[in-house]
Amino acid sequence: MVDLTRDLKPDEFKEYYFLKEELKDFCRSEGLKVGGSKQDLENRIIHYLSTGEELDESTQKQSFSEASSVITLDSKLGENFKCSEDKREFFENEIGIGFKFKVKFQKWLKSNPDKTYRDAIDAYYEIQNSGEKTEIGKQFQYNQYIRDFFENNEGKSLDDAIKCWKYKKSLKGHNRYEESDLEILK
């Protein structure tokens, strides 16, 4: 595994997998913003490693007015839906403590701005009961690896999967599961 330092070349950075927390630690140590998604952090770091300068993110629009409004079952989801803490709290109160903003539900929320929170709750249960596997976004390489590991290795443990993942992410190149990753378990 390569260390994430300011001496790392952008192309080399792209060849390795870093945990979100490692990206945040690097940003913190270099005085860069630590907020945002993993993709935001990676873009910020690539720009920094390329130019030595902080990425100007002032052109990104931010809307805080929606977050300050009271959410009811009849409230509209609205454009540019964000999975924020107030919305998580609302759904947990309505659905229960086991509520999670899973990918398929997030996509539904973002693609249905004219629907209500009541409609969203109905959609949540429908999605949960469908049993369909959701597509895992490319930024969630760990989740995809673990899913692929178990699809190919019935009877193996999560500890085995994690050992193989840690080995795989220490290597240069892609982080997709391959049968040869099992060598680390011998």
Side-chain angles (χ1 to χ4, degrees):
M1 181 70 178
V2 69
D3 289 328
L4 178 52
T5 68
R6 71 172 70 166
D7 298 325
L8 196 60
K9 303 286 181 237
D11 288 340
E12 193 173 8
F13 169 79
K14 293 176 193 176
E15 292 181 12
Y16 287 95
Y17 179 87
F18 295 96
L19 297 171
K20 185 174 182 182
E21 201 53 45
E22 292 172 305
L23 300 175
K24 288 169 95 174
D25 287 346
F26 176 79
C27 287
R28 227 178 256 113
S29 71
E30 297 298 317
L32 304 173
K33 286 177 52 179
V34 295
S37 68
K38 186 172 183 190
Q39 187 67 50
D40 293 336
L41 293 166
E42 288 173 344
N43 291 340
R44 203 172 288 144
I45 290 170
I46 289 167
H47 179 81
Y48 180 75
L49 293 174
S50 300
T51 66
E53 297 175 6
E54 188 171 354
L55 181 62
D56 180 14
E57 299 177 54
S58 63
T59 58
Q60 295 177 347
K61 59 181 183 176
Q62 298 176 350
S63 172
F64 299 102
S65 59
E66 189 179 316
S68 63
S69 62
V70 175
I71 301 170
T72 68
L73 287 170
D74 295 319
S75 298
K76 297 275 188 195
L77 296 173
E79 295 291 329
N80 304 316
F81 186 90
K82 302 272 189 265
C83 300
S84 57
E85 282 306 310
D86 61 330
K87 292 170 185 160
R88 178 184 309 282
E89 185 178 324
F90 174 82
F91 284 118
E92 281 179 353
N93 287 337
E94 294 296 324
I95 293 171
I97 274 305
F99 169 78
K100 298 225 180 319
F101 275 123
K102 293 190 175 177
V103 174
K104 197 167 190 175
F105 183 55
Q106 288 181 37
K107 287 180 180 179
W108 187 93
L109 291 166
K110 292 176 186 200
S111 62
N112 289 286
D114 293 330
K115 300 283 186 179
T116 65
Y117 280 80
R118 185 184 318 276
D119 297 327
I121 291 169
D122 291 342
Y124 178 84
Y125 286 123
E126 195 174 303
I127 290 166
Q128 289 298 103
N129 294 329
S130 74
E132 290 179 37
K133 284 188 179 178
T134 58
E135 182 180 323
I136 298 175
K138 71 177 195 132
Q139 72 272 32
F140 302 111
Q141 295 174 46
Y142 170 81
N143 298 26
Q144 185 66 58
Y145 186 93
I146 298 299
R147 179 188 282 179
D148 294 345
F149 178 90
F150 282 118
E151 284 178 359
N152 290 281
N153 296 288
E154 192 174 316
K156 296 276 189 212
S157 70
L158 180 58
D159 283 343
D160 291 338
I162 292 170
K163 283 177 191 169
C164 289
W165 165 251
K166 286 180 177 179
Y167 166 72
K168 184 63 148 197
K169 77 176 186 116
S170 72
L171 303 174
K172 211 176 210 183
H174 73 79
N175 294 307
R176 293 179 302 277
Y177 171 77
E178 296 175 305
E179 193 173 328
S180 61
D181 299 343
L182 298 173
E183 290 295 316
I184 195 71
L185 299 177
K186 293 181 181 178

